[in-house]
Amino acid sequence: MPVSSYELDREVFQLLKTGVEKLKDWQGAASGIADYVSSWGMERFWAMSRSPVLKDGIIPDAEAGSDEQRRYFAWGVARVVLCKIVGNDLKIEPEMTTADFQDRFRNLNFNQQVLLTDLLIEIADTIQFWTMRLKDVQDRNDSV
């Protein structure tokens, strides 16, 4: 399950750029993903990344929907990218309910749990990096 940083950057960037028009609605919440995971853990992250308003574990639409849906756009991106990377190996899918994820996570061995958590924190850092780059471009275009 090796992951190159290029692959991670590409996955994150492709998903984030779909929400660039509403960047101001979700960028603040995007910056807190890593801190949330390290403070509250994977299971609570999973619950927060799956808005109760959304069905089937889809990424919230950053362009439409409620303020809550747009706010957690980047959290959905993190969950989907995590599943793209480890889904086949660890049998974790983005549409899993919180209860299903909790059952699956608890059945992973300690090393797999740590790997998943570390990978999510790396994904969160990558999201924060690309969010700031997208914001820089948007600010530059607004000032021209």
Side-chain angles (χ1 to χ4, degrees):
M1 182 173 27
V3 180
S4 72
S5 59
Y6 173 76
E7 180 182 345
L8 182 58
D9 282 325
R10 184 176 37 84
E11 290 291 338
V12 167
F13 183 71
Q14 289 301 320
L15 292 173
L16 285 182
K17 74 180 185 177
T18 64
V20 74
E21 294 301 317
K22 296 291 185 172
L23 180 67
K24 292 178 180 165
D25 293 345
W26 56 264
Q27 79 175 46
S31 66
I33 298 171
D35 288 341
Y36 191 91
V37 171
S38 50
S39 296
W40 295 102
M42 288 294 298
E43 294 178 43
R44 288 187 181 183
F45 161 80
W46 197 269
M48 289 297 290
S49 73
R50 288 185 46 90
S51 167
V53 180
L54 299 172
K55 303 266 189 249
D56 302 324
I58 61 173
I59 296 175
D61 185 343
E63 301 296 319
S66 70
D67 289 343
E68 179 185 2
Q69 288 173 325
R70 288 192 307 268
R71 185 170 188 266
Y72 287 101
F73 168 75
W75 290 58
V77 168
R79 180 173 35 81
V80 168
V81 170
L82 179 70
C83 291
K84 282 183 177 184
I85 294 170
V86 301
N88 289 335
D89 293 329
L90 299 182
K91 296 179 179 46
I92 295 172
E93 300 296 327
E95 68 276 354
M96 292 175 87
T97 65
T98 300
D100 290 343
F101 176 78
Q102 287 173 333
D103 289 341
R104 182 66 193 125
F105 188 74
R106 290 177 185 157
N107 286 315
L108 297 175
N109 68 43
F110 178 75
N111 289 336
Q112 290 169 323
Q113 289 178 355
V114 169
L115 169 74
L116 203 59
T117 304
D118 285 349
L119 182 56
L120 182 55
I121 290 170
E122 182 64 28
I123 291 167
D125 289 344
T126 303
I127 286 172
Q128 192 165 2
F129 171 83
W130 285 112
T131 298
M132 294 311 297
R133 298 301 67 79
L134 290 168
K135 183 181 181 317
D136 290 345
V137 169
Q138 194 173 57
D139 289 349
R140 187 169 298 131
N141 288 340
D142 289 347
S143 68
V144 173

PDB file of all heavy atoms in Angstrom, residues 5 33 105:
ATOM      1  N   SER A   5       3.849  10.805  -2.809  1.00  0.00           N
ATOM      2  CA  SER A   5       3.294  12.121  -2.508  1.00  0.00           C
ATOM      3  C   SER A   5       2.643  12.728  -3.736  1.00  0.00           C
ATOM      4  O   SER A   5       1.647  13.442  -3.644  1.00  0.00           O
ATOM      5  CB  SER A   5       4.363  13.051  -1.931  1.00  0.00           C
ATOM      6  OG  SER A   5       5.429  13.199  -2.831  1.00  0.00           O
ATOM      7  N   ILE A  33      -8.847  19.765  10.040  1.00  0.00           N
ATOM      8  CA  ILE A  33      -8.994  18.312   9.948  1.00  0.00           C
ATOM      9  C   ILE A  33      -7.922  17.573  10.750  1.00  0.00           C
ATOM     10  O   ILE A  33      -8.231  16.694  11.554  1.00  0.00           O
ATOM     11  CB  ILE A  33      -8.994  17.843   8.481  1.00  0.00           C
ATOM     12  CG1 ILE A  33     -10.184  18.450   7.739  1.00  0.00           C
ATOM     13  CG2 ILE A  33      -9.022  16.318   8.393  1.00  0.00           C
ATOM     14  CD1 ILE A  33     -10.160  18.241   6.234  1.00  0.00           C
ATOM     15  N   PHE A 105     -12.991  -0.377  11.836  1.00  0.00           N
ATOM     16  CA  PHE A 105     -11.802   0.209  12.447  1.00  0.00           C
ATOM     17  C   PHE A 105     -11.383  -0.579  13.694  1.00  0.00           C
ATOM     18  O   PHE A 105     -10.198  -0.845  13.899  1.00  0.00           O
ATOM     19  CB  PHE A 105     -12.062   1.674  12.810  1.00  0.00           C
ATOM     20  CG  PHE A 105     -10.850   2.420  13.273  1.00  0.00           C
ATOM     21  CD1 PHE A 105      -9.875   2.800  12.373  1.00  0.00           C
ATOM     22  CD2 PHE A 105     -10.689   2.752  14.609  1.00  0.00           C
ATOM     23  CE1 PHE A 105      -8.744   3.497  12.799  1.00  0.00           C
ATOM     24  CE2 PHE A 105      -9.567   3.439  15.042  1.00  0.00           C
ATOM     25  CZ  PHE A 105      -8.587   3.815  14.132  1.00  0.00           C
TER      26      PHE A 105
END
